[in-house]
């Protein structure tokens, strides 16, 4: 019979305690297995790890300084001392530490394999402790794991040849809570709040084992007065006032005292109507070509990329991992400083060993997120300033009933706007939405303009990009408007004035007042980031030109097309409104008026008569403006060589749509013209 005496119960409890303590100590003493590069394994070198928007982050959110905290890893592990009693009271852990053998380590050379081993070795053990100590301390016996190491969508996918050299797809986040019925109300409420305001707890930049020189070179950044933040041009300008997000006040790491104030060296790009306006320097930063083999990885590039990712996800803890070595990074928002640990050999480090350090780091990150949670909620509930997108919607609502406004949305007005843009040698594009407020603009030179070192106020036009609409095969798509404060004012009328050439030898002055719709009217800006994007955008430009020459209506108007440095391409077209896909109901149907149905069929017929087949007719490629007019967009897949069967199939697809059918999952019609062109070239 089992022993039911108090002494037997005490003996069982003591045994469980010793087992729990032994498991925890095994985790804390765990050293990472050595990772070796497989013999003759090829790891291609990457291109520069930048996304276009990285250089347009608001200046108050950029990285200014890098500092070394030699005791950072020790301080983080010491933070577990405050949980000594809770650790002893935890139930026996239900985990095992996965150990890799010699056959496994031979495969561990590239970044993706390092990601795999990090997720498999101790993720369950360390997350279980963090769950019990921080996320549900009132329910210490819960065995469910609320944290997860996930392969998030990597921001490096467009900038690297592939992810074998460096990867940014390993992050720690809170799991969805829908399936955890055992959570009590208080714990569930806390975690729901945390999920709402904290996307990630730890962000990891993972390298291949060959990237150890990049990791070592990070110490060089400490000696710099200013971190060499990479901008899109050498034309810095003033940013809008903005407060950095809050930092936690109680943290396990000890930060050095704040240094004396530094005087900013930035100069301001003055608006054209200011009395002291002068010419500005258009010198630009050279872009690294896509897929070029001559790029040498630089630590500052990867540090900036990791910082940008931490800003987007509002993460405090950043880990740089090259397989056998790591650096821990702490992002301090107010100081705009990255505090780095020394290079840590996780195969041999002791006091703490790798297992204890990794566990303590997760606990510290979770505590930091919980401490910042009320600060983030207070900031979110504070009064916001009117955004450009809201301003645009208000202007549209005020003008909706104006009979003259519909005329200004006509193609003739688009042609006037296109001519207005074309007269400027330089378009200075500023990105101002969400976290972005360009410290320096994207500069686009007119193809016929002379390249000079300086351009005067009358030679450039400021464009404000105020909303990101998405991304596709042509690159990123944005909504933008002309900044009405950039053009010189007529001293007699106090209005904005510029001259346009119309026809042979004819010129007229176009007066644009501060409140005129011309300045507040939105348009679409498509930005090609890669070589494949650029080929698609070039093709779409050709199709638009062909359709305009054929007199086809019911499509966006072509406004401007320019190149930037490094082969970057920008296409600007009129804003055709919102996609009909936004109006899909629960039955995946769009209710169209009889007039809209007739207009859609008429527009597609005129496109076909011009010799163009769209190939990708779906609700998301058909737009409707506030006046109910419909237009076809996104001609990057279109072809000028459709077969009779292709034209017939496209008309049938549109007929199904206007009659209430769902067509968005249908295949693209016909052969891709770019692939056909590439095959002919071979």
């Amino acid at each position: 019979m089992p022993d039911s005496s108090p002494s037997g119960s005490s003996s069982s409890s003591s045994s469980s305690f010793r087992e729990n303590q032994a498991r925890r100590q095994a985790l804390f003493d765990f050293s990472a297995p050595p990772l070796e590069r497989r013999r003759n394994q090829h790891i291609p070198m990457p291109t520069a790890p930048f996304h276009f928007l990285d250089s347009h982050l608001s200046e108050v959110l950029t990285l200014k300084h890098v500092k070394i905290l030699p005791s950072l890893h020790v301080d983080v592990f010491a933070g577990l001392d405050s949980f000594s009693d809770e650790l002893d009271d935890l139930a026996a852990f239900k985990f095992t530490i996965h150990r890799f053998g010699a056959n496994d380590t031979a495969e561990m050379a590239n970044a993706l394999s390092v990601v795999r081993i990090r997720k498999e070795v101790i993720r369950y053990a360390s997350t279980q402790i963090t769950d019990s100590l921080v996320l549900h301390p009132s329910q210490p016996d819960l065995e469910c794991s609320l944290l997860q190491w996930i392969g998030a969508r990597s921001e490096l996918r467009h900038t690297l040849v592939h992810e074998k050299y460096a990867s940014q797809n390993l992050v720690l986040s809170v799991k969805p809570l829908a399936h955890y019925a055992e959570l009590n109300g208080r714990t569930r409420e806390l975690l729901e709040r945390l999920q709402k305001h904290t996307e990630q707890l730890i962000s990891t930049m993972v390298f291949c084992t060959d990237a150890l020189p990049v990791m070592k070179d990070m110490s060089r950044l400490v000696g710099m007065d200013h971190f060499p933040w990479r901008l899109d041009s050498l034309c810095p300008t003033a940013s809008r006032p903005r407060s950095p997000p809050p930092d936690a006040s109680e943290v396990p790491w000890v930060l050095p005292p704040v240094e004396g104030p530094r005087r900013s060296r930035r100069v301001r790009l003055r608006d054209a109507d200011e009395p002291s306006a002068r010419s500005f320097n258009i010198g630009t930063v050279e872009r690294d070509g896509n897929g070029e083999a001559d790029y040498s990885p630089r630590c500052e590039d990867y540090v900036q990329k990791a910082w940008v990712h931490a800003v987007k996800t509002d993460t405090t803890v950043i880990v740089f991992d090259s397989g056998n070595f790591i650096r821990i990074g702490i992002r301090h928002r107010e100081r705009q400083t990255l505090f780095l640990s020394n290079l840590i050999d996780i195969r041999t480090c002791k006091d703490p060993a790798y297992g204890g350090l990794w566990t303590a780091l997760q606990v510290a990150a979770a505590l930091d997120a919980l401490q910042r949670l009320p600060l983030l909620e207070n900031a979110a509930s504070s009064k916001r300033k009117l955004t450009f997108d809201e301003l645009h919607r208000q202007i549209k609502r005020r003008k909706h009933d104006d009979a003259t406004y519909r005329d200004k949305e006509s193609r003739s007005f688009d042609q006037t706007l296109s001519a207005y843009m074309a007269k400027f040698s330089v378009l200075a594009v500023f990105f101002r939405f969400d976290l972005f407020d360009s410290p320096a603009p994207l500069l686009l030179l007119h193809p016929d303009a002379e390249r000079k070192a300086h351009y005067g106020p009358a030679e450039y036009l400021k464009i404000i990009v105020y909303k990101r609409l998405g991304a596709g095969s042509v690159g990123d798509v944005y909504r933008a408007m002309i900044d009405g404060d950039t053009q010189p004012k007529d001293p007699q009328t106090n209005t904005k004035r510029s001259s346009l050439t119309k026809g042979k030898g004819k010129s007229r002055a176009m007066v644009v007042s501060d409140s005129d719709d011309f300045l507040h009217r939105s348009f679409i800006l498509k930005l090609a980031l890669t070589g494949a994007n650029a080929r698609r955008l070039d093709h779409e430009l050709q199709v638009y030109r062909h359709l305009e020459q054929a007199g086809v209506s019911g499509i966006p108007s072509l406004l401007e097309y320019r190149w930037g440095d490094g082969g970057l391409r920008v296409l600007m077209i009129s804003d055709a409104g919102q996609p009909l896909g936004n109006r899909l109901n629960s039955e995946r149907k769009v209710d169209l008026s009889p007039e809209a149905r007739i207009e859609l069929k008429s527009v597609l017929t005129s496109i076909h008569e011009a010799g163009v087949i769209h190939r990708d007719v779906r609700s998301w490629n058909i737009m409707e403006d506030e006046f109910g007019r419909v237009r076809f967009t996104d001609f990057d897949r279109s072809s000028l060589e459709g077969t009779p069967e292709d034209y017939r199939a496209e008309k049938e697809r549109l007929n199904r749509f206007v009659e209430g059918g769902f067509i968005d999952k249908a295949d693209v019609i016909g052969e891709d013209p770019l692939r056909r062109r590439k095959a002919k070239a071979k």
Side-chain angles (χ1 to χ4, degrees), residues 8-9 15 60 153 195 215 224 232 245 251 273 281 294 300 333 368 381-382 417 453 509 523 555 663:
S9 176
S15 174
V60 76
R153 192 178 183 187
Q195 282 186 322
M215 297 275 289
M224 296 182 175
D232 216 353
V251 291
D273 56 347
N281 193 330
D294 57 353
E300 47 263 57
R333 297 161 179 82
D368 174 85
S381 62
S382 62
L417 176 59
F523 55 89
I555 62 172
I663 61 172

Side-chain angles (χ1 to χ4, degrees), residues 168 440 499 591:
Q168 201 173 12
S499 62
D591 294 328

Side-chain angles (χ1 to χ4, degrees), residues 150-163:
I150 60 174
R153 192 178 183 187
S154 176
E155 294 185 2
L156 300 182
R157 65 192 185 281
H158 291 312
T159 55
L160 298 176
V161 175
H162 46 64
E163 295 182 308

Side-chain angles (χ1 to χ4, degrees), residues 166-463:
S167 175
Q168 201 173 12
N169 65 350
L170 183 62
V171 298
L172 181 66
S173 65
V174 181
K175 285 183 178 180
L177 307 178
H179 304 294
Y180 293 103
E182 61 269 38
L183 296 177
N184 61 35
R186 182 179 179 182
T187 300
R188 181 177 295 276
E189 178 187 2
L190 178 65
L191 292 175
E192 288 175 348
R193 291 168 56 202
L194 188 63
Q195 282 186 322
K196 182 178 180 180
H197 294 279
T198 306
E199 183 177 347
Q200 296 176 9
L201 302 181
I202 297 178
S203 176
T204 306
M205 172 76 79
V206 182
F207 298 92
C208 65
T209 53
D210 287 0
L212 181 58
V214 173
M215 297 275 289
K216 290 181 176 179
D217 196 35
M218 291 180 186
S219 299
R220 174 175 56 86
L221 305 176
V222 178
M224 296 182 175
D225 292 336
H226 237 66
F227 180 81
W229 189 266
R230 179 165 170 155
L231 297 175
D232 216 353
S233 67
L234 300 180
C235 176
T237 184
S239 297
R240 296 172 296 168
R242 181 178 189 146
S243 299
D247 292 287
S249 57
E250 297 180 10
V251 291
W253 42 85
V254 180
L255 302 181
V258 180
E259 299 178 357
R262 296 173 180 263
R263 180 174 297 178
S264 174
R265 298 181 181 180
R266 291 197 177 278
V267 297
R268 181 166 173 252
L269 171 61
R270 299 181 181 274
D271 290 334
D273 56 347
E274 295 185 25
S276 54
R278 296 182 176 88
S279 60
F280 66 91
N281 193 330
I282 195 177
T284 55
V285 177
E286 281 298 319
R287 300 178 187 275
D288 298 284
N290 297 288
E292 292 183 359
D294 57 353
Y295 171 73
S296 297
R298 305 187 310 160
C299 69
E300 47 263 57
D301 295 345
Y302 289 96
V303 168
Q304 178 171 337
K305 185 64 189 180
W307 178 275
V308 170
H309 181 79
V311 169
K312 292 178 179 179
T313 57
D314 201 15
T315 309
T316 299
V317 179
I318 306 171
V319 177
F320 299 92
D321 188 337
S322 65
N324 295 319
F325 295 86
I326 67 170
R327 280 189 190 268
I328 301 171
I330 302 298
R331 170 179 164 244
H332 197 278
R333 297 161 179 82
E334 184 179 4
R335 299 193 198 181
Q336 296 179 260
T337 301
L338 178 64
F339 294 96
L340 286 176
S341 70
N342 286 323
L343 197 63
I344 303 171
D345 188 338
I346 58 177
R347 302 166 298 182
T348 60
C349 64
K350 302 295 181 183
D351 300 323
Y354 174 67
L357 175 60
W358 198 247
T359 303
L361 195 62
Q362 292 189 183
V363 171
L367 287 173
D368 174 85
L370 289 179
Q371 188 178 138
R372 295 181 59 248
L373 184 56
L375 304 177
L376 294 173
E377 290 174 335
N378 290 337
S381 62
S382 62
K383 187 177 181 180
R384 298 182 301 109
K385 291 186 177 181
L386 197 66
T387 65
F388 279 92
D389 194 28
E390 292 167 335
L391 173 64
H392 175 66
R393 286 200 297 269
Q394 288 192 12
I395 294 172
K396 287 289 190 180
R397 283 196 295 269
R398 289 198 301 267
K399 295 296 183 179
H400 185 276
D401 297 328
D402 187 351
T404 62
Y405 187 61
R406 182 183 177 102
D407 296 333
K408 290 185 177 182
E409 295 289 320
S410 65
R411 185 172 297 275
S412 62
F413 186 74
D414 292 334
Q415 293 172 349
T416 304
L417 176 59
S418 176
Y420 180 71
M421 289 182 174
K423 71 180 287 288
F424 293 96
S425 299
V426 177
L427 300 182
V429 183
F430 293 82
F431 293 79
R432 292 180 180 170
F433 60 92
D434 297 337
L435 302 172
F436 303 100
D437 187 5
S438 303
L442 166 65
L443 301 176
L444 304 173
L445 188 65
H446 193 283
D448 298 330
E450 178 186 0
R451 190 176 185 90
K452 303 185 297 184
H454 301 274
Y455 290 85
E459 296 179 283
Y460 68 87
L461 175 68
K462 285 175 67 175
I463 291 176

